[in-house]
Amino acid sequence: MFEFAGDWEKPINYLFLAVTAVIAVHAIRYRTEDGKTDVVRLLFGCIAATFFMLVLFQDVLGIVEFG
């Protein structure tokens, strides 16, 4: 994903994975005091999870290739 980074591409990918994983887990598991979920947080959590899977499977593991 970060081909411009040269030798730093792999550490940047791992940092990106860590950040998006934290965002996704927090947003998807978030509940209000009443126990209700927030639609906007769920949306952005799912977007973060999608990017996490994209970078993990394509750039880090090299299992699949998207477009």
Side-chain angles (χ1 to χ4, degrees):
M1 181 171 182
F2 301 105
E3 290 83 16
F4 63 87
D7 294 337
W8 288 92
E9 181 180 0
K10 197 165 206 155
I12 290 173
N13 282 335
Y14 287 128
L15 178 66
F16 182 81
L17 285 176
V19 170
T20 55
V22 168
I23 291 170
V25 168
H26 171 72
I28 292 172
R29 294 191 57 168
Y30 178 80
R31 303 270 190 235
T32 62
E33 292 177 0
D34 300 335
K36 297 180 182 178
T37 59
D38 185 9
V39 174
V40 175
R41 288 181 203 246
L42 285 175
L43 173 68
F44 283 105
C46 290
I47 291 170
T50 301
F51 277 105
F52 176 85
M53 295 295 178
L54 177 80
V55 172
L56 177 67
F57 290 131
Q58 182 174 348
D59 295 335
V60 175
L61 298 177
I63 294 174
V64 296
E65 188 157 330
F66 299 103

